[in-house]
Amino acid sequence: MRTNTHRNNKKKIINDPVYGFISIPDEFIFDLVEHPFFQRLRRIKQLGMTHLVYPGALHTRFHHAIGAMHLMSQAVAVIRRKGHEITDEEERAVLVAILLHDIGHGPFSHALEYDIVKNVSHEQISYYFIQALKRDFPENSDDLERALMIFANKYHKKFLYQLVSSQLDMDRLDYLTRDSFFTGVSEGIVGTERIIEMLNVHNDQLVIDEKGIYSIEKFLVARRVMYWQVYLHKTVVSGEFMLINILRRAKKLIREGQTLFGSPALLYFMEKDVQKVDFETNPEVLQTFAQLDDYDIMGAVKVWQNHSDKVLSILSRNLVDRNLHKVEIAKEPFSPDRILMEKELVRTQYQLDDEEINYFVYSELLSNNAYSQVKQTINLLMKDGQTIDVSKASDNLNISALAQPVEKYCLCYPVVRH
């Protein structure tokens, strides 16, 4: 158990490259930032394999969580100024909720989310981490329970949940701003300060003042651009699928009884199919997961370059050397004949059998939904007191189009050398 006997000098200031000086607003929040669970986020990159395309994209989940907390404190101040009550306890809880919203991410975040553990989302693991923190901070268990209720959308003030998780939450505002900064993709820059200034609450729902409509339009367009230019950039997709296949191959070999190098934490999850029930019944699972980060994965991949298994060694060496698979993108599915043709070329090159070839040649579906009206809408508060969905209020035809998911197909395969 961690103790909080020394409470002096905890209101630290962090120099953030995006927003400038960020102050830690509360002593308990400082203690959470200091906790090993949160410090682990320093060792998990925010954008996974994106640095293979944009070399500056080496910022971490730690950066992002601190930035989202900073934006949340600004949002709370604006909403209070507009006459809506947020108590000191609720402010602390919503700051804790946004600070810890990504604490359950594993190594390489979304790329390996369902390969490290089986059918357990990072949001669910975040929930388990917050539960564990309640045991470490018994004197603040009420604060953490309130944060959990907001995080799970069970708190009676629904707009607090929407500030943490919605179509226009502080998570999205920070990651768009931060990711565009570190990648250098200026199209992703959004007017964060103006959007926060336009926040309001109407009938317990988070809304945007009518005059903020153009800032929201730019936000939605920026999000779409960032998806195709950064998050789903075809070279990023190539690196992520290669990493996924490396891990799946390694797991298969371990299950067949082969010995592979790996940290104790990594081998724990490679040897077992860890599921939701394991997190809920065995405290060791969460503690072991808390030891996993990007270093475990890449440390193992570097060693696996020299493994006797041909598939594992070739894939690992190609990823380490950035000899990435070629990716083609199309609006229609690739024909079975085309996929078979690529498989035959690669099969001959690497002398692979029918099972092994599937680690090298595959087609996947990519989907980008910049604005989902199914989950929640972004509503404008008009001057007459009505609220209206931004896609209906906007005179920009792009906004209606943004509500439609875009699906593309990718074909990945190694470049055959003659």
Side-chain angles (χ1 to χ4, degrees), residues 35-79:
H35 194 282
F37 287 170
F38 192 80
Q39 289 293 316
R40 181 183 74 98
L41 298 182
R42 291 181 183 273
R43 303 186 299 277
I44 296 177
K45 287 192 290 296
Q46 174 75 6
L47 291 183
M49 308 302 288
T50 307
H51 65 284
L52 295 174
V53 179
Y54 300 101
L58 293 166
H59 55 302
T60 65
R61 292 270 161 196
F62 182 93
H63 281 125
H64 164 58
I66 295 289
M69 180 200 67
H70 171 67
L71 296 184
M72 183 66 80
S73 65
Q74 293 182 335
V76 167
V78 166
I79 290 169

Side-chain angles (χ1 to χ4, degrees), residues 105-359:
H105 268 296
F108 291 95
S109 303
H110 298 289
L112 299 180
E113 185 159 349
Y114 294 105
D115 283 280
I116 298 288
V117 294
K118 195 171 183 180
N119 299 323
V120 190
S121 68
H122 74 271
E123 290 93 350
Q124 187 65 54
I125 298 173
S126 294
Y127 191 90
Y128 297 140
F129 271 124
I130 299 171
Q131 290 279 22
L133 287 167
K134 283 173 64 179
R135 294 189 288 275
D136 279 6
F137 295 101
E139 68 279 19
N140 292 103
S141 63
D142 287 348
D143 293 320
L144 286 161
E145 183 57 36
R146 210 173 283 115
L148 266 180
M149 289 178 70
I150 293 171
F151 185 77
N153 197 17
K154 294 178 180 175
Y155 195 71
H156 64 277
K157 291 185 180 178
K158 298 301 182 187
F159 73 89
L160 292 176
Y161 167 75
Q162 292 168 352
L163 284 168
V164 176
S165 180
S166 68
Q167 291 293 314
L168 189 65
D169 54 38
M170 298 308 104
D171 172 33
R172 292 181 190 205
L173 277 184
D174 180 79
Y175 77 60
L176 280 177
T177 304
R178 190 167 299 278
D179 296 348
S180 64
F181 178 91
F182 281 99
T183 57
V185 178
S186 58
E187 292 88 346
I189 296 172
V190 294
T192 305
E193 289 185 10
R194 178 166 172 79
I195 289 173
I196 290 175
E197 193 60 40
M198 294 297 114
L199 290 175
N200 211 330
V201 175
H202 181 74
N203 293 335
D204 196 31
Q205 298 295 307
L206 193 65
V207 294
I208 291 288
D209 290 334
E210 179 183 358
K211 59 187 175 182
I213 185 169
Y214 298 115
S215 298
I216 300 305
E217 287 179 354
K218 185 175 187 307
F219 164 79
L220 293 173
V221 171
R223 191 157 178 255
R224 187 173 192 124
V225 169
M226 286 293 284
Y227 264 86
W228 290 121
Q229 200 164 324
V230 177
Y231 309 131
L232 294 176
H233 186 291
K234 65 179 187 177
T235 309
V236 174
V237 167
S238 173
E240 289 185 346
F241 278 127
M242 286 176 73
L243 185 61
I244 288 167
N245 279 324
I246 288 168
L247 215 68
R248 288 178 181 172
R249 183 65 176 183
K251 187 176 279 193
K252 179 178 185 295
L253 296 173
I254 287 172
R255 302 293 172 85
E256 290 173 353
Q258 293 202 40
T259 301
L260 263 70
F261 171 86
S263 68
L266 178 59
L267 292 178
Y268 182 93
F269 287 94
M270 299 287 276
E271 291 164 0
K272 301 175 176 64
D273 277 327
V274 174
Q275 303 180 53
K276 193 175 174 183
V277 64
D278 300 306
F279 279 99
E280 294 173 353
T281 58
N282 183 0
E284 179 190 42
V285 173
L286 187 68
Q287 291 297 330
T288 308
F289 188 87
Q291 298 302 314
L292 268 183
D293 54 51
D294 290 3
Y295 295 90
D296 295 81
I297 303 296
M298 287 313 297
V301 171
K302 282 173 63 183
V303 176
W304 293 343
Q305 294 178 92
N306 301 311
H307 194 271
S308 58
D309 180 75
K310 181 166 44 179
V311 173
L312 185 63
S313 63
I314 292 171
L315 287 175
S316 298
R317 191 178 313 117
N318 285 351
L319 184 63
V320 169
D321 294 343
R322 200 190 175 279
N323 181 18
L324 304 177
H325 291 174
K326 184 174 175 58
V327 177
E328 293 183 28
I329 304 283
K331 292 183 179 178
E332 301 296 327
F334 289 87
S335 70
D337 287 346
R338 172 67 203 286
I339 296 170
L340 186 62
M341 182 188 81
E342 294 298 342
K343 282 186 174 181
E344 290 308 314
L345 287 171
V346 175
R347 186 199 307 273
T348 305
Q349 169 96 2
Y350 290 120
Q351 300 297 304
L352 302 169
D353 64 28
D354 288 347
E355 187 249 346
E356 293 168 341
I357 191 66
N358 294 318
Y359 290 95

